[in-house]
Amino acid sequence: CDMMPEDQFNAASLARFWLNKQHLPQSQRCLIVRTNIGNNTLSETLQAAGHFVQEVIAYRSHRRTDLDPELVKQLSNRYFDYCFVTSSSAAAQLIELFGVALQGTQLIAIQPEVAQQLTTYASCPPITPQVASIDAMIDVLLHSTKKLS
């Protein structure tokens, strides 16, 4: 990766990092490749700083409204020990679809911002790795299961 924020991994943090660290002249041409449900924070921040921004929707996320009753039953009965939550939009969808049925399942959030979203619905605080990556989430899972052994 050429550039990565040091704190949170979201659009606002990336914009701050880029503007504070790069010291580039205005009128840089920026292409943002994103999902249809992402916010406009990055593009708006870069435009406000005098850069030309073009966005491309590379993929579409669709919110589910139908639930598999068996999955809801399994969650309610604490069938799953862990649930990985890899984005803010996934956290919002998970809460919307399952709400209190999540209680009893240990949530592993990819970063603190996602964990904060989940805190209200979790019976125990979500686990968050030191680094926002899938590998780090798996390491946290492996570490937490060793503690239980």
Side-chain angles (χ1 to χ4, degrees):
C1 181
D2 293 328
M3 191 181 324
M4 189 167 78
E6 296 150 354
D7 51 357
Q8 293 186 329
F9 300 98
N10 58 36
S13 184
L14 180 59
R16 276 192 313 277
F17 179 81
W18 195 74
L19 293 173
N20 292 336
K21 300 277 183 179
Q22 296 306 309
H23 306 293
L24 295 173
Q26 290 185 344
S27 302
Q28 296 296 300
R29 293 182 301 270
C30 306
L31 176 64
I32 299 175
V33 181
R34 57 177 237 158
T35 178
N36 63 310
I37 63 171
N39 64 42
N40 296 322
T41 302
L42 182 58
S43 60
E44 289 172 356
T45 303
L46 294 176
Q47 287 172 344
H51 301 289
F52 172 77
V53 176
Q54 184 169 347
E55 293 184 328
V56 173
I57 303 299
Y59 64 97
R60 297 196 176 281
S61 294
H62 300 280
R63 293 196 178 264
R64 291 192 62 155
T65 55
D66 60 321
L67 290 175
D68 178 355
E70 184 62 25
L71 182 58
V72 175
K73 182 179 175 184
Q74 288 173 330
L75 273 168
S76 297
N77 291 332
R78 298 180 178 183
Y79 176 80
F80 298 101
D81 299 309
Y82 296 91
C83 176
F84 288 83
V85 187
T86 58
S87 70
S88 294
S89 59
Q93 183 71 13
L94 189 67
I95 291 165
E96 185 179 313
L97 289 174
F98 299 108
V100 294
L102 294 170
Q103 294 183 354
T105 301
Q106 177 63 62
L107 303 175
I108 301 176
I110 196 162
Q111 64 166 324
E113 182 181 79
V114 175
Q116 184 62 40
Q117 280 182 274
L118 298 167
T119 300
T120 306
Y121 293 91
S123 53
C124 56
I127 300 171
T128 307
Q130 294 289 333
V131 177
S133 73
I134 300 299
D135 287 343
M137 292 175 80
I138 293 169
D139 287 344
V140 164
L141 169 67
L142 295 174
H143 182 72
S144 71
T145 57
K146 286 180 185 173
K147 285 182 179 178
L148 298 174
S149 301

